[in-house]
Amino acid sequence: MEIGNKVYLNNIDQIDEKSHIKVRVLKIWNFVRNNKVCSIEMIIMDEEGTQYQARVFNQNFSRFCHLLKEDESYIVIKPNMAAVTNGFSYTSHKQTLTLDWKSILKKCDDFSGPVNGFMFVDFNSIIEQTCPKDTFFDVIGHIVSFRLLETSNPVPSKHYIKVTLSNLDSVHLKVTIFGSQAYQISEYLKNNPTVNFVVIVMQFLKLNIWNGLGEAKSHFEVTKLFINSDIYEINEFKNKLKCHDNFSITEKSITLQSYSSSYTDDFKGNFPLKAIYEITEPIKEMKFLLVASIVNIRQNLPWYIIPINVQDCTGTIGLTLFDREARRLLNISAYELKKIHDAAGDSDALFPMQLNVLKNRKFGFVVDITEYNVNNYNNIYTVLRVTEDMSIVCELESKIELMSIQSVSLNQVALESDDVVQPVQKDVISQTDESFTPSTVDKSTATSPCKISGDLKRNLQEIYDVDSGYDLSSTKAKRKSTAEETPLLIPKIEK
């Protein structure tokens, strides 16, 4: 039959019964409601690379379902159009192309457009949420870390795996993959443990915002997954990665390890669980578990190692997050963050505003008191592991709640030694006043331990007669004293 003039999707309003459109089916799936297939849904692309949503309703299944296949091309004659009514467009268009009783569909053997129609977006645009928010987008990157498949939900389509991708600029992006594709990538990673790097393409992803940062997630059965496939885009990415100036560094960082197995094992009883009041003094080398909220990023220190103040109901203490652990929380390396900071002309004495997303969030920490801490009486400890996994945090919290703060007496704290305490410069101090909670700290303005120190001293003075010396200062050296010279805290008696 004569098919008339060719029309492109950008000019779909000009189509008539004598014209036709050449399209390629990029993705096809069934829309199911109440266990009944209501429509066949598609994302199609014309020879100009324009993508459009398309649909066949169930009353027309017998005419088209045996013809339509993914990654095949067709000539469409006499299509109909319908509005997008669900508030989310799979493409940027507000209409869908429909095949109804008068539409004609023919196989096309000379489709001249793109093969896959990828529309990659920059990782930073996702993290900063400047990417499309109401349509799909595509990403390409190599996997630098992943969590084990999460299958606790009884609905298989809600099983998921979390992976972290890196692009050629070493920017990291978190992607959550659901359903059958989660199993697909989990099997691939399990069966290829020694592969140097795994490059994947995720097509038709949605934006997901978590703790103020943009991430990506798959969308039911719509998303397409390519794992180390022999396609042009993945091969080109691998070649650029090998030629990259930092390839030797990158190659070391892409060894595939599940930080949901070996990583989180450290939170499951390998180390003692402590409250902050127990570990403010660096008496001996040890590793311990801690549950606390980040209340402050300390100023005037090298922010690219992210010095933080954390707090539980017993006190506040200083910790240091190095880039490896901080990257898990920020989805961006210190190197990239430093470039952004420098480009904005900001002072190194001030931390980047991107770090504010860490404030007021509760984590589980594996903390290390090192030989350096003990020898130098330095109570700023290193974070070895950090997790925001709620199952881990809640389990640790339930254990720490058994340690009643009211039963703790300052006079019952055993001293390891009666040796003379050496002078020490402290950044933060601990407290055991139960009334001093995270709400006491002005989280939006507290930028140094000095404010915490001042608030703490006022709180303690409400309960104890405190010798007004240097011992409560977070910025002055601790004076030398023996056990006999230690000032007593005398509880005030209500009259």
Side-chain angles (χ1 to χ4, degrees):
M1 67 176 287
E2 189 175 345
I3 59 175
N5 296 326
K6 180 166 60 176
V7 175
Y8 296 99
L9 289 171
N10 278 329
N11 307 112
I12 191 69
D13 56 332
Q14 299 176 15
I15 197 168
D16 57 37
E17 292 195 353
K18 294 183 179 180
S19 56
H20 71 278
I21 302 173
K22 288 185 178 181
V23 300
R24 180 175 175 84
V25 177
L26 298 179
K27 183 67 183 180
I28 186 169
W29 70 98
N30 293 332
F31 175 71
V32 180
R33 177 178 291 168
N34 298 326
N35 296 320
K36 180 182 178 181
V37 179
C38 299
S39 63
I40 298 172
E41 301 290 330
M42 294 171 284
I43 297 177
I44 61 175
M45 174 184 65
D46 68 8
E47 292 178 311
E48 291 183 328
T50 303
Q51 295 182 10
Y52 229 83
Q53 186 176 346
R55 176 178 297 150
V56 179
F57 289 106
N58 55 6
Q59 61 264 36
N60 294 304
F61 282 177
S62 59
R63 295 193 61 204
F64 300 109
C65 67
H66 64 287
L67 293 174
L68 290 168
K69 294 182 181 180
E70 199 167 287
D71 298 324
E72 294 285 350
S73 301
Y74 301 91
I75 296 172
V76 183
I77 304 171
K78 299 180 183 180
N80 202 347
M81 303 300 296
V84 173
T85 58
N86 59 5
F88 180 86
S89 173
Y90 296 131
T91 65
S92 58
H93 302 282
K94 301 305 179 185
Q95 293 188 101
T96 65
L97 183 148
T98 62
L99 301 178
D100 61 15
W101 62 272
K102 67 176 182 178
S103 302
I104 299 172
L105 192 68
K106 296 170 60 70
K107 284 290 296 291
C108 174
D109 297 323
D110 60 349
F111 184 82
S112 60
V115 176
N116 294 303
F118 296 133
M119 294 188 294
F120 296 123
V121 298
D122 181 71
F123 282 11
N124 284 324
S125 72
I126 301 172
I127 296 168
E128 298 166 6
Q129 302 143 52
T130 58
C131 66
K133 295 180 176 61
D134 55 357
T135 61
F136 286 123
F137 54 81
D138 311 332
V139 300
I140 183 171
H142 67 104
I143 299 176
V144 293
S145 63
F146 66 95
R147 295 189 181 184
L148 291 181
L149 188 67
E150 172 55 57
T151 60
S152 59
N153 195 297
V155 181
S157 63
K158 295 185 178 180
H159 296 175
Y160 65 88
I161 187 171
K162 288 180 176 288
V163 301
T164 300
L165 299 182
S166 176
N167 63 12
L168 293 172
D169 296 321
S170 299
V171 178
H172 286 197
L173 175 71
K174 288 186 177 180
V175 182
T176 305
I177 306 169
F178 291 92
S180 60
Q181 292 173 341
Y183 281 90
Q184 182 183 349
I185 199 164
S186 177
E187 283 298 311
Y188 185 92
L189 296 173
K190 184 189 304 181
N191 295 332
N192 296 273
T194 60
V195 68
N196 281 337
F197 46 80
V198 176
V199 177
I200 69 171
V201 169
M202 298 291 294
Q203 190 175 23
F204 309 131
L205 292 172
K206 287 184 68 175
L207 175 67
N208 182 51
I209 299 175
W210 179 255
N211 286 323
L213 291 176
E215 301 179 358
K217 66 178 180 179
S218 66
H219 185 71
F220 300 106
E221 297 302 320
V222 182
T223 300
K224 291 183 74 171
L225 172 64
F226 301 80
I227 310 174
N228 268 353
S229 305
D230 186 17
I231 59 176
Y232 172 79
E233 291 80 5
I234 286 182
N235 291 333
E236 183 186 40
F237 187 95
K238 287 182 178 180
N239 290 332
K240 289 182 178 179
L241 188 63
K242 292 176 182 177
C243 297
H244 201 276
D245 291 341
N246 293 327
F247 176 68
S248 59
I249 299 175
T250 306
E251 191 175 26
K252 294 177 183 178
S253 67
I254 58 180
T255 301
L256 298 180
Q257 295 179 341
S258 168
Y259 60 80
S260 186
S261 54
S262 60
Y263 189 89
T264 58
D265 283 347
D266 287 339
F267 293 94
K268 298 178 180 179
N270 293 339
F271 306 112
L273 179 62
K274 299 287 185 180
I276 285 178
Y277 80 94
E278 296 180 277
I279 41 83
T280 52
E281 303 298 328
I283 296 172
K284 62 180 180 179
E285 296 178 48
M286 66 179 300
K287 296 178 177 64
F288 61 90
L289 298 176
L290 175 68
V291 180
S293 298
I294 296 178
V295 294
N296 191 28
I297 313 294
R298 303 203 307 277
Q299 301 275 13
N300 301 316
L301 288 169
W303 55 260
Y304 43 86
I305 62 169
I306 312 188
I308 58 175
N309 287 339
V310 301
Q311 185 178 86
D312 66 7
C313 61
T314 72
T316 305
I317 199 167
L319 301 177
T320 297
L321 278 172
F322 284 93
D323 185 47
R324 182 186 63 182
E325 300 309 311
R327 187 183 297 183
R328 297 185 188 278
L329 307 179
L330 298 170
N331 294 319
I332 187 172
S333 66
Y335 173 75
E336 288 297 317
L337 201 56
K338 184 72 163 66
K339 286 202 304 185
I340 296 172
H341 197 66
D342 291 343
D346 294 328
S347 168
D348 281 346
L350 301 174
F351 64 78
M353 297 305 295
Q354 289 90 338
L355 299 185
N356 277 326
V357 299
L358 297 177
K359 289 185 177 180
N360 307 321
R361 289 162 60 183
K362 186 177 292 183
F363 300 94
F365 299 94
V366 178
V367 185
D368 190 17
I369 299 179
T370 65
E371 181 182 5
Y372 174 85
N373 295 120
V374 175
N375 292 342
N376 295 275
Y377 212 77
N378 182 300
N379 64 342
I380 306 299
Y381 307 133
T382 299
V383 174
L384 297 178
R385 298 281 191 271
V386 60
T387 182
E388 203 174 17
D389 187 310
M390 288 307 298
S391 62
I392 295 176
V393 172
C394 290
E395 182 180 354
L396 294 177
E397 271 196 312
S398 65
K399 293 178 180 178
I400 204 71
E401 284 175 359
L402 299 176
M403 305 164 57
S404 174
I405 304 306
Q406 294 178 347
S407 67
V408 177
S409 169
L410 291 178
N411 293 325
Q412 295 174 344
V413 177
L415 297 177
E416 291 283 329
S417 171
D418 289 332
D419 294 340
V420 174
V421 178
Q422 297 300 316
V424 58
Q425 188 84 10
K426 286 194 175 182
D427 292 280
V428 293
I429 53 178
S430 64
Q431 55 267 7
T432 57
D433 179 8
E434 193 172 12
S435 68
F436 191 75
T437 64
S439 62
T440 309
V441 179
D442 183 355
K443 299 181 181 67
S444 62
T445 58
T447 56
S448 74
C450 297
K451 174 174 175 49
I452 298 175
S453 174
D455 290 343
L456 173 63
K457 185 171 181 178
R458 287 192 295 272
N459 288 335
L460 289 176
Q461 286 174 338
E462 294 174 0
I463 304 174
Y464 300 102
D465 290 324
V466 184
D467 179 23
S468 58
Y470 290 89
D471 294 299
L472 291 177
S473 172
S474 65
T475 57
K476 296 181 181 179
K478 187 172 181 180
R479 60 186 178 183
K480 295 183 179 180
S481 64
T482 63
E484 290 76 19
E485 295 172 337
T486 302
L488 294 177
L489 299 177
I490 306 170
K492 291 181 178 179
I493 301 174
E494 294 186 7
K495 297 181 181 181

